Amino acid sequence: MNGVLRKRLPRELRSGFGRYLALMLLIVMGIYLIVGIVGSAEMIMQGTVNKRSMNKVEDGQFSVFLPLTDDETESLSEGGTVIEPHFSLDLKAVDGSVLRMFETRNDIDLIQLDSGRLAENKGETVIEKGYAKAHSLGIGNRITAAGTELEITGIGSVPDYDMMVASFSDTAVEHSGFGLIFVTEAQYAYIRDNTTQKAEEYTYAYRLGSGITDSSLKEKIKSLKFDYTKIDNKYFKETVGEALEQRGQIEHGIGMLDAAGQTGLADSLTKLVDDSFNIDIDNLTSFIEAKDNPRIEAASGDMVMDKNAGLVAGVIVLILFAYVISVFVVHQIEREQSVIGSLYALGVKKNDLLRHYITLPTLVAFIGGVIGAALGFSPLGVDMQAQDAYTYFSVPDYEMIFPPYLVIYACVLPTLICAAVNAVFINKKLDRTALSLIRNEQSAGSYRRVNIRAKSFTRLFAIRQLIRESRSAIAVTLGMLVSLLVVMLGFNTFTLCLNVKSDTVADTKYEYMYLFKYPEKTVPEGGEGAYIETLSIDCMGYTQDVSVIGLDGESRYFSARPEKGKTRAVINNSLAERYGYKKGDRVIFTDAAADTDYCFTVTDVVQYSPGFTIFMDIESMRELFGKDEGYFNAVYSGKALDIDEGRLYSVTTKEDIRKSAGVFIDMMTSLIVILLAAGIIIFCVVMYLMLGVMIDRSAMGISLIKIFGYRPKEIRQLYLNGNLAVIAFGSIVTIPIAKSLMDRLYPSFIPNVACTMKLSFPWYMYLMIWCAMMIVYLVINKLLMRRINRISPAEILKDRE
């Protein structure tokens, strides 16, 4: 008997080929979607971990106002800690872009070459790969930086600039405007001593020794006593020169007292001098651990969004599998009840029948899973999805990996779900008697009497048919909802990227922002002075920078009007949207370098999208952070100002912001495309299967009215117009529900991005989605009419007693 049952399988496949093909396509697209997104994320995340030891990634870095002495470096290196200077200079290239110059690293954050070799002689350099690609540079080409021509001997990347941004507060990468070069020690010294470029940055990377913690190292650095008199920088001397001169004169007098034997008086005066002439400069300007550094392992961190989105989509797809297969199986068993009953009556065992009816759909599910996995791990899946990360971030090429859980998900879960669902429903049907199955007895439904007033019989019949198939209509609506979740995930990603771009550019009112290392005594003419500090906040396990901007009165470039007070601040809409802060709330931010928390009361929320930002009254902010009256370190302007570049950390233009804001869409394009394409295909397949089931359940009635002479057009009005109402009104309900659910989930996908969280659609987007769903329905309607045309009038005769 098992042999007879096996012979039925090819015939069942032929008779239901369209349905099985649609089911396989659903599984293929679902698995392809998940494997492509999650597989690419895992490849980059695990590849990043594997490269840590090879590239000797830092445990952290700190910047100081002046370089450490050899003795100070040796003191910090106790316990096996490795300290390496990563000093840098920002140089202007011929096209106006910025090249940050380093010496070749030896101990920490080693260069990973894609091609070529390290710089070995003067006049040679290694260039960062993203900048090289953006400027079409290759081995042997020459670049000019700060008037010095250099030959490119290598192209590669470094792990501490995974995300190629000039400063931690930058929100996006723009490879054409910023890059890195690595030269020999002699070449670095030559350019440093013969250029008037921006101020040199004194940054040190460290790798902790055994038993040494980040906190203990930071305390050591803060305890060091620095001799400011040895700083050989004209801008620094100009800033504190008067104080140093006065202190020098007094110390000369103290020395004379000490020489005259007045030791006690000399000591007292020395303490008084230390208190009175304390130069208000924190030598430790920043201290950041690797885990909090937005440049380090940024690609891996960004892939968290892709992985989260993929896993959520995976849950949706699994629910969809179970749902579609259950409807599919119930319909198949209802069609096969008489056959099952006959076989049951002939002595076929229940387990044999169970295996027989499980075999075909389970095999289809397995084949669909394997094909979907193959496509997902192919260049059309993982490689295509990872390409955006390779383009946006500065990372080496990683090897393909096959995470075991993802392989199991792709090849095993669809099979298990299909087998389990089939087993449950078939087992339930086989609990009935053989005679009940042979007679094709249906359970009596409880129908509520409904009085319908309709003038035409066609409309009356369509409404009655819709009421009879209300459970199927609900099933179709739920199928649409689940499918729309994947589509909405893609639309939300697209909408967020658009809003970040438009809002960031619109909210940037200034044309130039100058960030000073050595501020002048007065704000340059034509500029608006401000005071900026950087704090941090935790966002779902990620540390995000928060810019604190001190404003003096009404600003020309910001709409914020902060009140006086050290604990009062205005926050931007990005913080309000991400954390739900509102006026009157108390918020806490952290200064990691100083190990200090700052608490503020929110006095207002203003529109300013770039990053996370709060605004304070500048005098109150100076008092809070211990700065002198009149202190500023940033200038905003509507035009270029004549400022000596040696005083500056950086210059940011509105054009730089416009370019960087636009890269979000470029970066996320492949994810958006794959989500929308897969979501639309899944939606079409689900709708086809669900509506097809509704038609098949009405096959007897259709067969009967064909005997009565009804034409195809009239049959469509009787049986399909009700479906049109289900889709039309069901989509009106499911679209906003799917949107609302995805809006609630979406912030958890991007915890590592400090940006606005505007996900709202314009009204016409909802209309466009609804129209697209109706177009899909009309196409499917044509296919269903072909199925109706194939229903024979003799069908009703087959079900007679």
Side-chain angles (χ1 to χ4, degrees):
M1 186 57 71
N2 285 332
V4 174
L5 292 176
R6 281 194 295 270
K7 291 180 180 179
R8 293 188 73 244
L9 293 177
R11 187 166 64 250
E12 289 179 11
L13 180 60
R14 284 194 301 270
S15 63
F17 182 77
R19 292 190 297 273
Y20 282 113
L21 181 63
L23 178 62
M24 182 182 291
L25 181 61
L26 171 65
I27 295 172
V28 168
M29 288 308 302
I31 296 300
Y32 165 73
L33 172 71
I34 307 312
V35 172
I37 295 175
V38 179
S40 63
E42 287 286 7
M43 180 178 70
I44 291 176
M45 293 168 70
Q46 292 190 29
T48 299
V49 173
N50 295 337
K51 293 285 186 181
R52 283 177 185 167
S53 58
M54 178 190 303
N55 295 329
K56 298 183 178 179
V57 180
E58 66 184 51
D59 289 326
Q61 62 178 249
F62 60 90
S63 296
V64 290
F65 205 83
L66 72 161
L68 303 175
T69 65
D70 291 342
D71 290 342
E72 290 164 346
T73 303
E74 185 177 349
S75 172
L76 296 177
S77 300
E78 293 176 356
T81 297
V82 179
I83 306 287
E84 183 176 45
H86 285 179
F87 296 173
S88 64
L89 278 170
D90 283 358
L91 311 177
K92 278 284 183 69
V94 176
D95 64 353
S97 59
V98 175
L99 285 167
R100 182 162 294 173
M101 180 179 67
F102 294 89
E103 292 181 18
T104 300
R105 281 87 177 272
N106 298 311
D107 300 314
I108 302 175
D109 297 329
L110 304 183
I111 301 170
Q112 173 88 43
L113 289 173
D114 286 1
S115 59
R117 60 173 176 81
L118 298 177
E120 298 172 352
N121 307 298
K122 288 187 68 175
E124 296 180 344
T125 186
V126 169
I127 192 167
E128 183 269 323
K129 61 189 297 183
Y131 185 91
K133 184 177 180 180
H135 292 266
S136 302
L137 298 172
I139 304 298
N141 291 154
R142 293 181 175 273
I143 59 170
T144 300
T148 302
E149 188 176 72
L150 302 169
E151 180 183 356
I152 298 173
T153 62
I155 297 175
S157 58
V158 287
D160 59 321
Y161 276 85
D162 189 323
M163 185 175 181
M164 190 57 53
V165 291
S167 63
F168 294 143
S169 59
D170 292 344
T171 57
V173 172
E174 215 289 295
H175 285 296
S176 62
F178 177 72
L180 310 178
I181 56 174
F182 299 88
V183 298
T184 63
E185 180 180 358
Q187 182 68 71
Y188 182 93
Y190 174 80
I191 295 177
R192 179 194 61 202
D193 297 338
N194 292 274
T195 185
T196 57
Q197 299 285 323
K198 297 180 181 66
E200 185 176 15
E201 182 75 10
Y202 304 122
T203 299
Y204 292 82
Y206 65 84
R207 286 170 63 88
L208 297 171
S210 177
I212 307 298
T213 65
D214 297 277
S215 298
S216 63
L217 178 64
K218 181 162 64 173
E219 290 304 317
K220 274 189 176 182
I221 299 170
K222 293 170 69 174
S223 66
L224 295 176
K225 302 297 183 182
F226 297 98
D227 186 357
Y228 296 112
T229 62
K230 295 182 179 179
I231 300 179
D232 186 21
N233 184 286
K234 65 177 183 179
Y235 302 110
F236 179 80
K237 290 180 178 178
E238 177 186 313
T239 303
V240 299
E242 184 178 346
L244 288 174
E245 183 178 351
Q246 292 178 4
R247 177 169 181 155
Q249 293 173 353
I250 296 175
E251 285 178 341
H252 177 70
I254 292 174
M256 294 178 64
L257 287 173
D258 192 44
Q262 301 294 327
T263 305
L265 179 60
D267 291 343
S268 298
L269 288 174
T270 298
K271 184 177 185 307
L272 180 63
V273 168
D274 287 340
D275 294 338
S276 301
F277 289 90
N278 179 36
I279 299 173
D280 189 18
I281 296 176
D282 295 325
N283 193 71
L284 181 62
T285 58
S286 73
F287 187 98
I288 185 166
E289 300 175 29
K291 64 182 178 63
D292 297 328
N293 190 331
R295 294 190 188 120
I296 295 178
E297 299 187 359
S300 177
D302 187 75
M303 287 297 105
V304 171
M305 173 188 172
D306 285 27
K307 183 176 179 180
N308 289 344
L311 292 176
V312 169
V315 172
I316 295 170
V317 168
L318 286 178
I319 295 171
L320 203 56
F321 286 168
Y323 169 74
V324 172
I325 290 171
S326 66
V327 175
F328 187 85
V329 170
V330 167
H331 171 61
Q332 181 187 22
I333 295 174
E334 286 178 349
R335 287 193 307 113
E336 296 264 325
Q337 281 190 119
S338 58
V339 176
I340 294 172
S342 300
L343 292 171
Y344 216 13
L346 290 172
V348 178
K349 294 181 180 179
K350 181 178 180 179
N351 288 338
D352 292 335
L353 286 171
L354 191 61
R355 280 195 299 269
H356 170 70
Y357 281 99
I358 284 176
T359 299
L360 190 55
T362 302
L363 184 61
V364 168
F366 174 74
I367 295 172
V370 171
I371 295 174
L375 288 174
F377 283 116
S378 75
L380 294 174
V382 168
D383 287 350
M384 185 179 74
Q385 183 60 30
Q387 197 57 47
D388 285 342
Y390 286 134
T391 301
Y392 184 76
F393 296 102
S394 183
V395 294
D397 292 337
Y398 297 116
E399 296 180 358
M400 172 70 76
I401 63 170
F402 300 90
Y405 81 90
L406 198 55
V407 175
I408 293 172
Y409 175 94
C411 299
V412 178
L413 276 184
T415 307
L416 290 179
I417 291 173
C418 188
V421 172
N422 273 274
V424 169
F425 284 96
I426 294 174
N427 189 63
K428 183 178 179 181
K429 288 293 183 183
L430 293 181
D431 284 338
R432 293 165 57 184
T433 65
L435 183 59
S436 173
L437 291 168
I438 291 172
R439 288 179 174 176
N440 200 14
E441 293 177 353
Q442 304 294 331
S443 58
S446 57
Y447 299 101
R448 181 179 297 176
R449 182 177 296 276
V450 180
N451 293 323
I452 303 173
R453 295 182 180 180
K455 294 182 179 180
S456 71
F457 169 76
T458 301
R459 180 173 298 178
L460 178 64
F461 186 94
I463 295 174
R464 288 288 187 187
Q465 173 67 14
L466 181 59
I467 294 173
R468 283 193 296 269
E469 293 293 338
S470 58
R471 290 185 180 178
S472 297
I474 293 172
V476 171
T477 304
L478 291 175
M480 288 194 301
L481 174 62
V482 178
S483 304
L484 278 171
L485 288 173
V486 179
V487 176
M488 286 301 176
L489 183 56
F491 272 117
N492 270 9
T493 304
F494 178 69
T495 301
L496 180 70
C497 292
L498 280 182
N499 287 337
V500 167
K501 178 181 179 180
S502 61
D503 287 358
T504 298
V505 175
D507 293 342
T508 303
K509 308 297 185 183
Y510 57 85
E511 293 294 331
Y512 293 86
M513 183 187 78
Y514 300 89
L515 191 61
F516 286 79
K517 183 172 185 178
Y518 303 106
E520 299 175 337
K521 292 184 178 180
T522 59
V523 177
E525 185 177 354
E528 180 180 297
Y531 173 28
I532 297 179
E533 290 283 356
T534 300
L535 303 178
S536 62
I537 188 172
D538 179 77
C539 184
M540 301 181 190
Y542 290 86
T543 300
Q544 298 290 353
D545 283 346
V546 178
S547 297
V548 187
I549 302 179
L551 302 177
D552 187 7
E554 292 192 3
S555 171
R556 288 173 285 171
Y557 307 109
F558 302 97
S559 60
R561 300 293 180 261
E563 301 176 5
K564 290 186 177 297
K566 292 189 294 182
T567 61
R568 303 179 73 79
V570 175
I571 67 172
N572 72 332
N573 60 297
S574 298
L575 277 169
E577 291 162 2
R578 179 62 66 91
Y579 295 94
Y581 295 149
K582 59 185 182 298
K583 187 174 180 178
D585 286 351
R586 296 176 67 83
V587 297
I588 298 176
F589 305 110
T590 302
D591 182 348
D595 284 333
T596 304
D597 288 338
Y598 294 91
C599 182
F600 301 96
T601 298
V602 177
T603 59
D604 198 6
V605 178
V606 295
Q607 174 65 34
Y608 184 70
S609 294
F612 292 157
T613 308
I614 68 173
F615 301 91
M616 292 185 66
D617 169 70
I618 193 169
E619 286 297 337
S620 302
M621 184 173 170
R622 289 166 182 156
E623 185 180 353
L624 177 65
F625 290 99
K627 299 299 182 184
D628 294 334
E629 183 179 353
Y631 177 82
F632 68 94
N633 61 1
V635 169
Y636 298 95
S637 173
K639 61 180 181 178
L641 302 178
D642 184 17
I643 299 175
D644 193 331
E645 290 191 344
R647 293 183 177 276
L648 301 173
Y649 275 125
S650 64
V651 180
T652 304
T653 68
K654 187 169 184 176
E655 184 60 29
D656 295 334
I657 293 173
R658 181 180 290 107
K659 289 180 180 178
S660 64
V663 302
F664 280 107
I665 290 183
D666 298 334
M667 175 186 171
M668 303 303 296
T669 296
S670 66
L671 178 63
I672 294 169
V673 169
I674 194 173
L675 284 172
L676 290 179
I680 291 170
I681 292 174
I682 290 172
F683 175 80
C684 294
V685 172
V686 168
M687 188 177 289
Y688 174 78
L689 285 173
M690 297 297 99
L691 294 178
V693 166
M694 292 177 70
I695 294 299
D696 289 345
R697 287 169 58 89
S698 302
M700 295 297 104
I702 294 172
S703 175
L704 182 60
I705 66 171
K706 278 190 174 184
I707 292 177
F708 292 154
Y710 279 80
R711 291 170 295 182
K713 180 180 179 181
E714 295 169 325
I715 296 174
R716 184 178 68 248
Q717 292 174 340
L718 293 173
Y719 285 94
L720 295 184
N721 284 0
N723 293 344
L724 174 62
V726 170
I727 302 303
F729 290 104
S731 57
I732 291 175
V733 174
T734 55
I735 289 173
I737 291 177
K739 172 64 174 165
S740 177
L741 290 174
M742 195 49 62
D743 284 355
R744 293 176 181 274
L745 287 172
Y746 200 84
S748 64
F749 301 157
I750 52 172
N752 59 323
V753 181
C755 68
T756 180
M757 197 54 62
K758 291 184 177 178
L759 301 171
S760 59
F761 293 168
W763 65 269
Y764 57 82
M765 284 290 290
Y766 292 97
L767 180 60
M768 289 173 59
I769 295 172
W770 184 85
C771 290
M773 294 174 68
M774 299 311 299
I775 291 172
V776 169
Y777 168 76
L778 294 176
V779 173
I780 292 174
N781 198 45
K782 293 291 185 182
L783 299 176
L784 293 177
M785 275 305 300
R786 295 173 59 185
R787 180 178 294 188
I788 289 175
N789 293 336
R790 288 198 298 267
I791 296 177
S792 168
E795 196 76 27
I796 188 64
L797 302 177
K798 296 178 182 179
D799 198 42
R800 71 189 189 280
E801 286 288 341

